[in-house]
Amino acid sequence: MTRLLDNHLAGRWQAGSGAGVPLFDPVLGTELVRVSGAGLDLAEGYAFARTRGGPALRALGYAERSAQLARIAEVLQGRRDAYYDIALQNSGTTRNDSAVDIDGAIYTLGQYARWGAKLGAARWLADGEPVKLGKDGSFQSGHILVPQRGIALFINAFNFPAWGLWEKAAPALLSGVPVVVKPATATAWLTQQMVADVIEAGVLPPGALSIVCGRSDGLIEALEPFDLVSFTGSADTARAICAHDNVLRYSIRVNAETDSLNSALLGPDATPGSDAFSLMVKEVVREMTVKSGQKCTAIRRVLVPQAHAAAATEAIAAALAAVKVGNPRNESVRMGALASRAQLAAVREGLAALGREAQLAWAGNEADLVDADPKVAACVMPHLLKVDDGDAAKLVHDVEVFGPAATVVPYRDADHACALARRGFGSLVASVFSDDVDFIARAATEMAHAHGRLHVITPAVGKTHTGHGNVMPMSLHGGPGRAGGGEELGGLRALGFYHQRSAVQAPPEVLAKLVEGAAPWQGGAG
Ligand code: NAP
């Protein structure tokens, strides 16, 4: 039997009970390690984090905690090769794809460390200047934000075992809130190794960082008032967590990042052969293939002018045909595996559903897989689909195939394009490819209410833009509606989730004292 990974709870390493759940190499099918979160005393673990980790973190100012983040980034940087090795084995990703997760995590930590340093020795934040409550100004109202005093429980998805932890932990720890992470079982190894390295390095006080590997009953039951939950995963699980009695009873704050039918929109001005057209093709192919399309932000719907639908489909299919798929240990391979055979089954099921209303435009040939046995490996070729009538289509706007799949959807005019993008009923991101600033501005204002982020690619930024699917710490990550309604990142704004905002109505000298001891919040821009 393979090694059982320990959990870190109540300041000590603990084995879960039973044989545990095996984690596999999704390309070779070999068992790697096991995880078990069964039988853990979660109440004890959470209490330790609340009473030891939280106070120790909050005894420091923002700048001191930001120094801890910088040190965590250094520790992870020093162990980078080991993380790439785990990702290769357990996630089946190419080196470039692992970088999105691992280097993305280190970069995000470093960025929050830099922002946090600017907040100095303060231990709370002041939101704007006090305002008079009466005519003579002898009584005023101000707002302060103080660190929340519970734990931050992170329930994470399988696709970003590294970044998924640290993009949440950076603002939480900077805020002074202890973290308990429950990574997705399938890829928990990388998260566990990173937590183990940070704990061994002694960067954080005891109780500031805990991990429960594998499924553990009672994660939500053990929460108490003032605890926080940040969830990333499917809409179904998010709904179950939000509807939990404990969450409702204590009004536990839940941030949810869930499914999303993101789109790429090719402007009416972007004819085949134009720079904007070529940039759209490149980006769609990149989004479909990076991490085998297992990105919550990946492009699922490609909205193109009716007259150019055939040309767009053809160009994307031609570029997909050049992508080698298979074992990432082979250097010619550009797209590795899905995370597990379970994900492969889910992707096939999703493709079958889409196939009920969309036609297959390109799917390659499984026989072309490089160094991967289709009977064992969780590898799937990219699938490009198309529909003729985006209005009549339902599933295309509703079924998220969490893999290398996208559908080309034709539109009539600019209003129709924006309406189709909004059919995702709330998405994380849409990208717009055009050289027409008026169209772009109109599309942005028409689509923003249904999107957490709009990514505009004009020919002028073809080489410098950061990528449709790349989540940058400077920009908000999250989306309304079916995307979960959550908000992460976006600079120091992310600290808002981990603080309580409180109005203080008092004489001016009291408010002046509070403002003097605080770092300015003012919306929290980084
Ligand atoms: P999932 O089944 O909802 O799992 C997500 C996490 O929730 C895992 O850690 C899972 O643990 C845990 N979980 C499941 N049921 C639970 C319960 N009853 N109580 C407590 N925890 C529970 O999601 P998935 O299918 O693995 O993830 C893929 C989905 O995540 C996709 O739909 C994708 O769009 C979404 N996603 C969204 C974002 C974003 O930022 N918006 C990012 C990445 C992924 P186990 O692994 O142990 O089952």
Side-chain angles (χ1 to χ4, degrees), residues 469-483:
N470 273 354
V471 175
M472 302 299 290
M474 298 81 182
S475 303
L476 182 149
H477 174 58
R482 69 170 287 169

Side-chain angles (χ1 to χ4, degrees), residues 47 75 88 138 186 257 343 374 394 418 424 507:
V75 170
L88 176 67
S138 65
E257 303 284 347
Q343 282 308 309
K394 286 198 175 65
C418 296

Side-chain angles (χ1 to χ4, degrees), residues 211-275:
I211 181 167
V212 176
C213 304
R215 191 66 73 81
S216 177
D217 288 340
L219 276 172
I220 309 294
E221 281 78 359
L223 292 173
E224 291 188 356
F226 310 122
D227 288 339
L228 307 160
V229 178
S230 185
F231 170 79
T232 304
S234 64
D236 287 347
T237 310
R239 203 173 310 120
I241 291 171
C242 290
H244 193 284
D245 265 1
N246 223 15
V247 168
L248 296 173
R249 183 179 312 121
Y250 300 134
S251 301
I252 285 172
R253 217 181 267 173
V254 178
N255 190 80
E257 303 284 347
T258 58
D259 317 346
S260 181
L261 274 295
N262 313 295
S263 42
L265 167 50
L266 181 68
D269 59 305
T271 51
S274 66
D275 287 347

Side-chain angles (χ1 to χ4, degrees), residues 112 115 119 125-127 489-496 520-526:
Y112 272 94
W115 284 326
L119 299 177
L125 304 166
D127 186 3
L489 300 172
L492 289 173
R493 285 180 193 90
L495 271 58
W521 169 245
Q522 287 162 348

Side-chain angles (χ1 to χ4, degrees), residues 434-442 458:
S434 167
D435 203 11
D436 177 345
V437 174
D438 290 336
F439 165 74
I440 294 168
R442 181 168 163 211
T458 63

Side-chain angles (χ1 to χ4, degrees), residues 22-363:
L23 274 51
F24 294 99
D25 182 320
V27 178
L28 306 178
T30 45
E31 186 179 319
L32 300 167
V33 289
R34 290 176 164 250
V35 294
S36 167
L40 298 173
D41 187 342
L42 294 172
E44 181 206 21
Y46 289 5
F48 186 86
R50 276 184 216 110
T51 56
R52 293 281 300 279
L57 285 171
R58 291 193 301 275
L60 308 171
Y62 293 100
E64 287 169 293
R65 292 194 295 263
S66 83
Q68 293 175 331
L69 296 187
R71 180 76 191 108
I72 293 173
E74 269 173 33
V75 170
L76 300 181
Q77 185 71 33
R79 298 272 297 147
R80 238 171 116 248
D81 288 347
Y83 305 145
Y84 272 88
D85 190 44
I86 293 175
L88 176 67
Q89 292 183 64
N90 191 199
S91 292
T93 38
T94 62
R95 205 169 163 83
N96 278 348
D97 288 359
S98 300
V100 181
D101 189 27
I102 295 165
D103 293 343
I106 296 171
Y107 172 72
T108 303
L109 275 162
Q111 192 59 54
Y112 272 94
R114 283 187 287 280
W115 284 326
K118 289 195 241 159
L119 299 177
R123 291 192 170 83
W124 66 88
L125 304 166
D127 186 3
E129 292 298 319
V131 292
K132 293 178 191 172
L133 287 175
K135 271 196 184 136
D136 68 358
S138 65
F139 197 58
Q140 302 188 349
S141 173
H143 289 83
I144 57 169
L145 286 87
V146 293
Q148 197 48 274
R149 297 203 174 186
I151 61 158
L153 172 65
F154 301 160
I155 300 180
N156 281 356
F158 65 84
N159 56 341
F160 281 103
W163 178 84
L165 163 60
W166 297 111
E167 63 103 9
K168 294 179 183 184
L173 293 171
L174 181 56
S175 299
V177 177
V179 165
V180 179
V181 60
K182 182 256 174 277
T185 297
T187 56
W189 187 12
L190 178 53
T191 318
Q192 198 266 4
Q193 188 60 55
M194 287 180 145
V195 169
D197 291 340
V198 170
I199 284 170
E200 192 192 323
V203 181
L204 294 167
L209 182 60
S210 308
I211 181 167
V212 176
C213 304
R215 191 66 73 81
S216 177
D217 288 340
L219 276 172
I220 309 294
E221 281 78 359
L223 292 173
E224 291 188 356
F226 310 122
D227 288 339
L228 307 160
V229 178
S230 185
F231 170 79
T232 304
S234 64
D236 287 347
T237 310
R239 203 173 310 120
I241 291 171
C242 290
H244 193 284
D245 265 1
N246 223 15
V247 168
L248 296 173
R249 183 179 312 121
Y250 300 134
S251 301
I252 285 172
R253 217 181 267 173
V254 178
N255 190 80
E257 303 284 347
T258 58
D259 317 346
S260 181
L261 274 295
N262 313 295
S263 42
L265 167 50
L266 181 68
D269 59 305
T271 51
S274 66
D275 287 347
F277 185 94
S278 308
L279 287 165
M280 180 278 295
V281 172
K282 189 172 162 202
E283 200 62 11
V284 169
V285 171
R286 179 157 66 163
E287 284 299 310
M288 288 177 71
T289 54
V290 168
K291 287 182 79 63
S292 304
Q294 297 170 110
K295 280 192 0 254
C296 51
T297 49
I299 296 168
R300 309 292 179 198
R301 300 174 298 153
V302 187
L303 310 176
V304 297
Q306 220 154 25
H308 308 320
T313 309
E314 212 172 289
I316 297 166
L320 287 173
V323 177
K324 288 229 181 320
V325 183
N327 188 336
R329 292 164 183 88
N330 185 312
E331 288 201 346
S332 72
V333 166
R334 262 185 59 202
M335 189 178 102
L338 297 168
S340 64
R341 292 288 289 189
Q343 282 308 309
L344 179 63
V347 164
R348 286 191 175 138
E349 197 181 309
L351 285 169
L354 288 188
R356 291 206 287 277
E357 66 178 22
Q359 303 146 48
L360 192 58
W362 194 84

